[in-house]
């Protein structure tokens, strides 16, 4: 029964990624039985990404009620056979997202939140980091040092990768503003862009809304909730990435009164990445909207 529940959970995850994640996803290639063998550890959550050769899965584990970490696993896409795995974070709490570099099938970027020091109190000093992880094609990885993206930020983030390999990361900040940082493939900071000012993403309560992003070609979108949870509004902006850290002025700036991204409000230990925006190749934007605070609907914006 437990194994069946895990398999159903993984299938739901893969289907969700197929609707909203950047790039194509084929649930049938995940090799579910192999992915879900976890040597007795308790799986907290996982995310995955595909390219033409590999499947990548990130697992959050709690081992022996004491050792917390995240492990990246690489599978052969065609067979589902596990090729290699590596630990890339000491902290199983909070959220993570992984994406392949579109310019190099062996490179994965992981953006995640964790404590700045493994010995710290888990409720303190949480920050957002990015790592570049390169699979050597055999059984090992070359991993960059973790690079801090946002200081003291345990709110939901999202990120996309530009066609040239630059990494574009957005997140709400402690003052309720929304910022986008852009990094080169070597993780050099190219620019830091304030796209919504202080209070724009704040509820005025104990939670600050996160963001959701998607990218097709050189165009990317970023959206966030604004206003109290009981009377929400939604802001979605579309930009063109010009390269070298430069973004255009907003190509579109949508303000949807009475609408909210579905289930993206962040509370400590529950701020998993939620992909609630999708940019279609024809420029249409899809988002999941809360309906009466309960159900949700898919809404299309054209322009």
């Amino acid at each position: 029964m437990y194994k069946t529940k895990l398999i159903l959970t993984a299938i739901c995850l893969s289907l969700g990624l197929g609707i909203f994640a950047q790039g194509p996803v084929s649930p049938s290639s995940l090799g579910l039985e192999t992915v879900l063998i976890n040597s007795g550890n308790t799986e907290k959550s996982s995310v995955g990404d595909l390219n033409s050769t590999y499947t990548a899965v990130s697992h959050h584990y709690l081992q022996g009620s004491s050792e917390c970490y995240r492990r990246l696993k690489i599978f052969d896409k065609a067979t589902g056979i596990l090729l290699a795995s590596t630990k890339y974070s000491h902290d199983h709490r909070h959220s993570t997202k992984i994406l392949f570099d579109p310019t190099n099938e062996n490179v994965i970027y992981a953006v995640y939140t964790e404590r700045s020091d493994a010995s710290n109190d888990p409720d303190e000093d949480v920050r957002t980091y990015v790592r570049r992880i390169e699979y050597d094609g055999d059984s090992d990885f070359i991993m960059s040092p973790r690079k801090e993206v946002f200081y003291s930020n345990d709110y939901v983030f999202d990120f996309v990768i530009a066609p040239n390999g630059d990494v574009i990361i957005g997140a709400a900040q402690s003052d309720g503003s929304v910022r986008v940082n852009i990094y080169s493939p070597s993780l050099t900071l190219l620019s830091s862009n304030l796209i919504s000012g202080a209070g724009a993403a704040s509820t005025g309560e104990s939670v600050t809304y996160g963001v959701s992003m998607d990218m097709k070609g050189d165009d990317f979108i970023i959206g966030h909730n604004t206003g109290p949870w009981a009377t929400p509004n939604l802001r979605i902006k579309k930009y063109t990435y010009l390269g070298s850290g430069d973004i255009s002025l907003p190509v579109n700036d949508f303000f949807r009164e009475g609408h909210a991204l579905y289930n993206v409000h962040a509370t400590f230990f529950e701020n998993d990445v939620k992909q609630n925006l999708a940019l279609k190749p024809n420029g249409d934007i899809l988002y999941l909207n809360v309906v009466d605070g309960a159900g949700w609907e898919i809404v299309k914006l054209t322009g």
Side-chain angles (χ1 to χ4, degrees), residues 48-122:
D49 193 32
L50 299 179
N51 60 27
S52 62
T53 305
Y54 305 116
T55 300
V57 174
S58 171
H59 283 283
H60 304 205
Y61 289 126
L62 176 62
Q63 183 176 19
S65 299
S66 60
E67 183 181 354
C68 305
Y69 61 93
R70 293 186 179 98
R71 183 170 293 278
L72 177 69
K73 295 184 177 181
I74 297 291
F75 298 83
D76 180 85
K77 179 182 176 181
T79 66
I81 294 175
L82 177 63
L83 301 174
S85 66
T86 185
K87 181 168 66 178
Y88 71 93
S89 168
H90 66 253
D91 194 2
H92 78 280
R93 302 177 189 273
H94 299 291
S95 53
T96 187
K97 181 178 179 180
I98 58 175
L99 287 175
F100 279 105
D101 183 341
T103 71
N104 188 333
E105 289 196 331
N106 285 40
V107 172
I108 290 173
Y109 290 93
V111 180
Y112 56 96
T113 52
E114 70 176 359
R115 295 160 290 174
S116 63
D117 189 314
S119 64
N120 282 353
D121 186 301

Side-chain angles (χ1 to χ4, degrees), residues 1-7 38 41-43:
M1 182 71 180
Y2 178 67
K3 182 177 180 182
T4 302
K5 184 178 179 182
L6 282 177
I7 293 174
N38 56 25
N41 297 327
T42 300
E43 182 185 349

